[in-house]
Each structure stands twice: as C-alpha cells, then as structure tokens.
Amino acid sequence: ELIDLPGLIQSVERDEEKDLISLIEELCTSYLEQPNTLIAMCCPFNDDMENQAVRMIARRHDPKGQRTVGVLTKADLMQQGS
C-alpha cells in the first residue's frame, strides 16, 4: 500500500489555518513512527536538505536511516553550474 502524505508546512497565510501546521505533522508522524513504513523523504534540488523539516522527523523515527530513502525533486530549477 502506498500512501501519499501531504508535505510539511511551516507557515500559513491566515491565522485560522495555524492548526494545519500541527495537524499535518501529527498525521505524518502517525505513519512514520510505524516500523514497517518506508519513508520517502522528498526534498527539492534547489534547497538545502539540512533545512528540510521532513529530514528532522525522518531521523527522529528512523535514526539509522534503514527505512528512509531520499528523493530529490525539482531538478529543472537547478542553476547551471551548481
């Protein structure tokens, strides 16, 4: 079974949506904490992977990285020569 979870967010446009930040993180955590879950950690090429919230959460639930796979996205946004 493949479950496509929403991406983690750090900010929202309206104050009424602030609960979405923790709601999405709790939803993702409920799956990532299961030992039989493969974590596909998607990060864009044009951003520093160390700054990605998903990396911190993946490490928390899979500290040895045995069930985490990095997926780099948005390669078309890379600057020439980088």
Side-chain angles (χ1 to χ4, degrees), residues 5 9 17 29 33-34 52 65 70:
L5 297 170
I9 58 173
E17 298 174 334
T29 297
E33 66 189 5
Q34 298 175 29
Q52 299 296 316

Side-chain angles (χ1 to χ4, degrees), residues 40-55:
M41 187 177 67
C42 299
C43 301
F45 262 106
N46 64 341
D47 199 1
D48 185 1
M49 190 179 292
E50 294 296 326
N51 292 333
Q52 299 296 316
V54 68
R55 183 179 167 104

